[in-house]
Amino acid sequence: MEHDTREGPRYVRARIGNACDSCKSRKVKCDGATPCTFCVSRRMAHSCSYSPQKRRNVNPQGRRPPPSERIATQTTPSSDATPADANRTPTTVIRRDEEPQRHQEQSNEEETEVPREARLLRDAQGKLVFIGDCAPLSFYQSVRQLVITRVDPSAFANQTSQLSVLENAGKTTSQGGNGMPPYVYTPLVLRSVEQYLNATASLIDLFDRDTLVDEVAQWAAGSQRRGPVSTVKYLVLAIGAQETDSSLSQVFFEYAREQTLSSLSGDPGLSTVQASILITLYMLRSSQMNGAFVLFGLGVRIAYSIGVHRTEVNARFGLEMGSQRDKLWKSLRIVDLYLSTLMGRPPATSDVDCTVAYRKFDDAGNEVFDMLNASAQVMLIMEAVVVEVYSRRKISLAVTEGISARLRQWSHRWLPHVKALLDPATQDTATVIGACQVLASYYYAVMLASRPFLVYELCLRLSPERASDQTNRSPAATGRSKLADACIDAANLMVDVTADLINNNFLTYRMPLLVSWLFASSLVVGLGVLGGFGRLEKRANQSVEALEHFATNDVHAMQYSQISRSLLSTAVQYLDRKEANERLERTASSNHIFGLMPKDGHRATPSGMRVRNRSADRTSRSQQASGPDTSLSAFQDLPIPTSNGADTPSRDFFETWSQMPDFSMFDGLMDGTQDWTEQDWSTLNLFPLLDDGGQIDLS
């Protein structure tokens, strides 16, 4: 059967560069005309429009990178932005396949796994609550798991393993007046407002601090105590009275909270956002973290609804009110980022559509130091650490370089100013406390960025092959070991600052931010003791004592101190056992030379410790294979002592002294005119005065 070889007309499908939006949404063919044929036939020519075509990013292998190789792109304010761009500079981290060639050639040793530490924990009421990767409580769980599996199964006490620290059951006080405003004692106002200013320094700035005392005093002296303004005033007094009169503070707080929640159904405004922030701080200071996290989200939504995140909107209310609204947004961001980092959860606020600047400039264009701005900038760096490190499976030195650059820039600009404010002789209490909290947040950001490297180094040091043989470690410091040391250094600096201010009676008892970061520092220092990173026992004890100082009125600090003390005790006991084991190994070696061990042949080995580990066995076998040890050549001509079935010689060592080889001192030893080799040192006579029979002429 013959086929017809004649070809009919061939239609060539024309491909256009872009289709109109209507054809894209309907997934139909578009001819690219303006308007296109499809829209004209549907009588939609007036709505035919073309959007710019999005370019697809495809890697050379034609596949999408796995999750471990993707880095999130976060739009956050840059620390190097200028006033012209309103400090909104997107910080973008490139993909691994787009990094420079030197980063592609990095060895796998410079990448470190970031453990997934997120977990569900039970609070004091038994409810399951999610805690994320970067939270200090998740870090504690990882530390606990590492210690009980590699060091001591009974390392932590039972009460420290139960995380009732997650939430403290708040006390409830019945309102006897059926919602009537509580009475305010006028003499209480001055001290309560001062305590409020101390507690909120560098965290929030909602009012004029110079006139707040007078405003609250005038309000307390009046008779009108209802409305949103009164709610905020009650919350200020409630926070301030937490240190002096907890019962009255609870009364003020519960009334203000009921008034705030009842106003949500109406027309919430600026006072409602202020009240939401104050409620959150009060609950944090009352050890109710999860409840504070939930209620804070309501205030954030109200803040978005009134536009405090846009500086151009705030400017329409005048210079003074516009500045107050800008500070309100900054306060929201600081509290939100602290809460999200503390709980390991995504933040409620974002800078994607925000134009409020976190920097202040004078007329000459120079940046002016401001405590609130410095605190906000540190929190933004901490947010970048969480996004770029703890949202990935691995962290490399390339990613750490970008984070460390931002931390160095902040340190170069503000660290001298912040440290200067820590002087108790020249600064007031609120300023010192605010500077301490900013500095603690900076140190904690450093620890967050370097913590995975510390855990990696610790796992290496606690491995069975290297647990008792640290001599095999390379003396050259790697990038990971330097970052591990940086983590410990940041923790030590935080402990030093906190302990110094506690000794000067400058820190109040309820400071949830400082307690949280101090707890993480105590864990880091405890790991430093456990891993043999230096003599850190003193610093570890200082961190425990600082937590015990805050434990007077903070149940979280109480359990944190118990956990830290248990970790320190376990680390010290581990080092004692390890040192005893190493000493026993050296004694066993000396036994073959001087006969120091008992003649019964039994060696007193500490319980649970091995005389030799596998690394030592491999070392001894390699020495036997390579030949005799030249360092013992001075003893090769000694007569072999008779053995009575034991490891020790049967004759006294000094009986063979006359048969020792005769060595003399080498010329040029003291003046350095002669170079000595290792063999020369091995044959050096250590007892030259005995060459003449031990006769020493003291004259």
Side-chain angles (χ1 to χ4, degrees):
M1 181 177 181
E2 297 182 358
H3 295 277
D4 189 1
T5 58
R6 292 178 299 175
E7 296 182 357
R10 179 176 299 177
Y11 298 96
V12 180
R13 181 182 177 183
R15 302 184 63 88
I16 61 173
N18 192 12
C20 71
D21 297 339
S22 179
C23 292
K24 286 181 181 178
S25 61
R26 290 171 173 80
K27 296 183 179 180
V28 298
K29 183 179 179 181
C30 182
D31 57 5
T34 308
C36 69
T37 305
F38 179 81
C39 292
V40 172
S41 62
R42 292 298 183 100
R43 298 180 181 180
M44 298 167 53
H46 62 282
S47 62
C48 184
S49 60
Y50 292 83
S51 299
Q53 191 173 11
K54 297 181 179 180
R55 184 178 181 181
R56 296 181 179 179
N57 292 328
V58 181
N59 54 6
Q61 289 78 12
R63 62 177 181 85
R64 190 182 183 191
S68 61
E69 298 184 4
R70 296 185 216 133
I71 303 178
T73 301
Q74 177 73 10
T75 304
T76 56
S78 174
S79 57
D80 294 333
T82 60
D85 56 6
N87 301 315
R88 302 268 68 82
T89 303
T91 301
T92 305
V93 182
I94 58 178
R95 293 204 324 263
R96 187 181 305 276
D97 53 8
E98 297 174 356
E99 291 180 352
Q101 184 67 25
R102 64 184 182 92
H103 289 161
Q104 292 181 355
E105 295 176 353
Q106 267 186 335
S107 63
N108 293 332
E109 291 185 356
E110 302 303 333
E111 286 189 348
T112 302
E113 293 282 348
V114 178
R116 291 296 186 183
E117 300 171 342
R119 64 196 76 234
L120 287 174
L121 304 178
R122 293 189 182 275
D123 60 7
Q125 290 77 30
K127 297 179 295 184
L128 290 175
V129 179
F130 173 79
I131 297 296
D133 302 306
C134 62
L137 289 178
S138 291
F139 179 46
Y140 158 63
Q141 284 296 307
S142 298
V143 171
R144 178 174 176 269
Q145 185 68 22
L146 177 64
V147 171
I148 64 177
T149 54
R150 297 200 177 186
V151 179
D152 187 0
S154 59
F156 294 94
N158 294 330
Q159 61 269 21
T160 60
S161 61
Q162 301 297 326
L163 287 184
S164 58
V165 296
L166 193 60
E167 187 80 2
N168 180 38
K171 296 181 297 183
T172 58
T173 304
S174 60
Q175 296 289 336
N178 294 326
M180 293 297 295
Y183 180 76
V184 179
Y185 298 93
T186 305
L188 180 67
V189 171
L190 177 60
R191 185 174 182 181
S192 297
V193 174
E194 289 180 352
Q195 290 288 345
Y196 163 81
L197 294 176
N198 295 340
T200 60
S202 76
L203 293 179
I204 61 174
D205 190 358
L206 307 180
F207 317 103
D208 188 352
R209 291 178 173 260
D210 297 330
T211 61
L212 181 60
V213 176
D214 296 335
E215 292 178 0
V216 177
Q218 293 176 3
W219 166 81
S223 58
Q224 181 65 27
R225 294 198 182 96
R226 289 186 179 273
V229 176
S230 295
T231 301
V232 173
K233 297 291 193 301
Y234 274 118
L235 288 171
V236 170
L237 295 177
I239 294 176
Q242 278 183 295
E243 307 295 342
T244 56
D245 193 341
S246 59
S247 299
L248 183 61
S249 172
Q250 186 72 18
V251 172
F252 289 163
F253 169 73
E254 290 187 358
Y255 171 78
R257 182 184 57 185
E258 291 178 1
Q259 296 298 314
T260 301
L261 294 178
S262 62
S263 65
L264 295 178
S265 59
D267 189 15
L270 195 68
S271 299
T272 310
V273 181
Q274 293 174 340
S276 175
I277 297 176
L278 295 176
I279 289 174
T280 302
L281 286 181
Y282 183 93
M283 298 184 71
L284 285 173
R285 288 165 56 84
S286 300
S287 304
Q288 303 178 54
M289 296 189 300
N290 199 53
F293 181 86
V294 174
L295 291 178
F296 181 77
L298 298 176
V300 172
R301 290 302 179 184
I302 298 173
Y304 276 121
S305 67
I306 61 179
V308 296
H309 62 295
R310 303 295 294 269
T311 188
E312 61 272 15
V313 176
N314 298 336
R316 299 181 60 181
F317 293 86
L319 182 60
E320 182 178 355
M321 181 57 66
S323 176
Q324 182 180 352
R325 289 169 64 95
D326 285 347
K327 292 180 180 179
L328 178 62
W329 173 255
K330 296 175 188 177
S331 302
L332 279 169
R333 284 290 280 160
I334 292 173
V335 176
D336 182 35
L337 293 178
Y338 162 64
L339 268 174
S340 62
T341 307
L342 175 66
M343 306 295 287
R345 301 169 185 173
T349 58
S350 174
D351 285 332
V352 173
D353 192 36
C354 170
T355 58
V356 175
Y358 301 106
R359 303 174 69 181
K360 183 180 180 181
F361 297 87
D362 56 15
D363 297 335
N366 300 320
E367 188 173 3
V368 180
F369 174 77
D370 180 80
M371 185 83 73
L372 194 68
N373 288 335
S375 179
Q377 291 174 14
V378 170
M379 290 296 181
L380 292 173
I381 298 175
M382 198 178 301
E383 181 186 30
V385 174
V386 174
V387 171
E388 298 176 9
V389 175
Y390 288 88
S391 62
R392 306 174 58 215
R393 296 295 297 179
K394 290 184 179 181
I395 176 175
S396 63
L397 296 182
V399 175
T400 312
E401 286 177 1
I403 297 172
S404 62
R406 297 185 62 179
L407 289 169
R408 286 195 305 270
Q409 291 169 2
W410 186 94
S411 174
H412 177 73
R413 284 199 306 266
W414 301 134
L415 195 58
H417 296 275
V418 175
K419 286 188 174 182
L421 298 178
L422 291 173
D423 187 6
T426 59
Q427 304 296 334
D428 59 284
T429 303
T431 302
V432 173
I433 292 176
C436 177
Q437 295 191 128
V438 173
L439 199 59
S441 297
Y442 163 71
Y443 290 144
Y444 186 69
V446 175
M447 286 190 290
L448 268 184
S450 55
R451 200 170 73 189
F453 300 97
L454 173 63
V455 175
Y456 178 85
E457 286 291 320
L458 186 66
C459 290
L460 286 182
R461 298 192 180 195
L462 295 181
S463 60
E465 292 79 8
R466 302 174 64 178
S468 59
D469 187 14
Q470 296 294 335
T471 58
N472 292 336
R473 297 184 67 250
S474 175
T478 63
R480 280 190 302 225
S481 63
K482 292 179 180 179
L483 289 168
D485 291 334
C487 185
I488 296 177
D489 292 340
N492 290 336
L493 291 172
M494 185 187 300
V495 173
D496 288 342
V497 172
T498 306
D500 183 63
L501 293 180
I502 289 177
N503 294 333
N504 287 279
N505 298 321
F506 258 82
L507 296 183
T508 56
Y509 290 102
R510 297 179 185 265
M511 302 184 67
L513 180 141
L514 187 58
V515 167
S516 302
W517 301 163
L518 186 61
F519 173 53
S521 299
S522 66
L523 294 178
V524 169
V525 177
L527 292 181
V529 175
L530 185 65
F533 285 88
R535 300 298 300 271
L536 302 173
E537 291 86 351
K538 180 180 178 181
R539 290 270 175 62
N541 277 313
Q542 287 179 337
S543 66
V544 175
E545 293 172 356
L547 290 172
E548 290 175 347
H549 167 78
F550 293 110
T552 305
N553 294 315
D554 192 333
V555 295
H556 286 176
M558 182 182 300
Q559 286 205 343
Y560 291 162
S561 63
Q562 294 176 3
I563 293 171
S564 302
R565 188 170 292 282
S566 180
L567 176 61
L568 175 59
S569 176
T570 302
V572 172
Q573 293 175 8
Y574 170 77
L575 292 181
D576 290 342
R577 295 195 305 267
K578 179 182 175 184
E579 183 179 359
N581 182 52
E582 293 176 351
R583 184 69 265 171
L584 185 62
E585 292 181 4
R586 297 188 183 98
T587 304
S589 300
S590 303
N591 175 45
H592 298 283
I593 302 175
F594 292 99
L596 299 177
M597 298 298 291
K599 295 184 178 181
D600 55 2
H602 298 288
R603 297 190 179 120
T605 304
S607 59
M609 302 300 295
R610 296 173 300 172
V611 176
R612 287 181 176 268
N613 57 19
R614 284 177 287 180
S615 299
D617 293 338
R618 285 197 300 268
T619 304
S620 62
R621 286 196 297 268
S622 62
Q623 291 177 353
Q624 293 175 3
S626 59
D629 188 359
T630 58
S631 63
L632 299 178
S633 59
F635 300 96
Q636 290 178 356
D637 296 332
L638 285 174
I640 301 176
T642 60
S643 176
N644 296 329
D647 293 335
T648 59
S650 59
R651 292 187 299 168
D652 188 86
F653 174 76
F654 292 98
E655 294 181 5
T656 62
W657 187 264
S658 60
Q659 304 179 33
M660 286 283 291
D662 184 19
F663 298 106
S664 60
M665 300 295 293
F666 288 89
D667 297 333
L669 170 63
M670 304 303 296
D671 55 8
T673 58
Q674 181 176 348
D675 294 334
W676 280 51
T677 64
E678 182 179 357
Q679 185 176 3
D680 296 333
W681 283 106
S682 64
T683 58
L684 175 63
N685 183 12
L686 300 180
F687 309 100
L689 294 178
L690 296 179
D691 290 341
D692 298 330
Q695 300 295 328
I696 303 175
D697 187 6
L698 297 179
S699 62

